[in-house]
Amino acid sequence: MTKNIASYLVLVLFTVIVLSVSFSSNDSIVDLSKYSTAGLELNYTVSLDEGIKDDILLSNDEDNEFSPFLGKSFVGFKEAIGFKESRGNYAIVNTFGYLGKYQFGTETLKMIGINNPEAFLKSPKLQEKAFIANAARNKWILRRDIKNFVGRRINGVLVTESGILAAAHLAGPGSVKTYLRSYGLDNFADGFGTTVQYYMKRFSGYDTSFVKPDRRAKAI
């Protein structure tokens, strides 16, 4: 019995010595001052996305700024075009008389059922609908060209459906047909010098499957 108690005391004494040496070693001491949170604002919350609606027709960006985080989605596609055309300004009229965020001409607006330019400028929702209606109409007009040319390269630029639709928004579907069927020899440029080929390249690779070809597409 005495022998067992002595063995136990020796084991306890050895353990105490080991722990004492471990805690007294400078290498084992963690300097917590390096992790101080003094001066940092820790009491904050992140607002919930309660006000964000899943509405593909209308951007909720009140500042009209294009967000690059939309990626290659359809919303990313239309916002990228809107930013390029007008920096997202729904109320702008340029020096050639083109209107709104997507810079529509009055004749194009008439084709998709909009006959009141002033009302059009005052309605962001109508402008978003106009963009989709025009894209649907262009997709129907260019359906054969999309089938025949997507995946090919013209002047080193890969032809994609979104590039075709963006170029059609810029220059009209007729100019895009001419560009594709001339294999880039006839490269229309608008009043500011922006070409079909430039839009074909800049807006390449977006997902425009949301847009359904519609010969009679109307915004109203």
Side-chain angles (χ1 to χ4, degrees), residues 3-217:
K3 185 177 181 180
N4 290 339
I5 293 174
S7 298
Y8 176 75
L9 290 175
V10 170
L11 179 61
V12 170
L13 181 60
F14 177 76
T15 303
V16 169
I17 292 172
V18 170
L19 291 174
S20 177
V21 171
S22 297
F23 283 112
S24 65
S25 173
N26 289 334
D27 294 335
S28 301
I29 297 175
V30 178
D31 184 6
L32 296 178
S33 66
K34 294 180 180 180
Y35 304 97
S36 173
T37 57
L40 296 179
E41 176 59 52
L42 301 179
N43 297 320
Y44 62 87
T45 58
V46 178
S47 61
L48 299 175
D49 293 338
E50 295 175 351
I52 298 178
K53 299 178 181 179
D54 187 17
D55 183 359
I56 201 165
L57 299 182
L58 183 58
S59 167
N60 290 299
D61 187 352
E62 294 180 355
D63 294 326
N64 296 326
E65 293 182 357
F66 165 61
S67 169
F69 301 106
L70 294 171
K72 291 292 186 176
S73 66
F74 176 72
V75 176
F77 172 69
K78 72 181 184 65
E79 292 303 307
I81 291 180
F83 188 80
K84 174 64 177 70
E85 292 285 347
S86 70
R87 299 188 69 83
N89 188 342
Y90 288 107
I92 195 170
V93 179
N94 78 1
T95 54
F96 295 101
Y98 288 89
L99 310 168
K101 177 179 176 180
Y102 300 104
Q103 292 293 276
F104 278 100
T106 54
E107 293 304 313
T108 300
L109 290 178
K110 289 178 183 178
M111 285 189 290
I112 55 177
I114 299 172
N115 296 297
N116 188 333
E118 292 184 4
F120 173 77
L121 277 176
K122 294 177 182 178
S123 175
K125 188 172 183 178
L126 182 57
Q127 291 187 37
E128 298 295 339
K129 289 182 176 180
F131 179 84
I132 293 177
N134 188 54
R137 181 176 176 276
N138 287 338
K139 191 169 183 177
W140 185 87
I141 295 171
L142 292 163
R143 64 195 185 284
R144 292 190 180 90
D145 299 277
I146 289 171
K147 181 180 179 180
N148 293 331
F149 286 96
V150 165
R152 298 189 183 188
R153 287 188 179 273
I154 296 179
N155 293 335
V157 176
L158 179 65
V159 178
T160 65
E161 181 178 285
S162 63
I164 288 175
L165 294 181
H169 181 83
L170 170 76
S175 295
V176 176
K177 278 181 179 286
T178 301
Y179 172 83
L180 292 172
R181 296 178 186 188
S182 70
Y183 288 89
L185 293 177
D186 194 334
N187 188 17
F188 172 89
D190 71 2
F192 295 107
T194 307
T195 65
V196 165
Q197 181 173 302
Y198 175 78
Y199 261 46
M200 196 85 68
K201 180 178 181 179
R202 177 157 184 166
F203 299 105
S204 173
Y206 286 87
D207 180 6
T208 51
S209 59
F210 172 82
V211 179
K212 305 304 178 186
D214 185 352
R215 181 182 183 181
R216 298 180 176 84

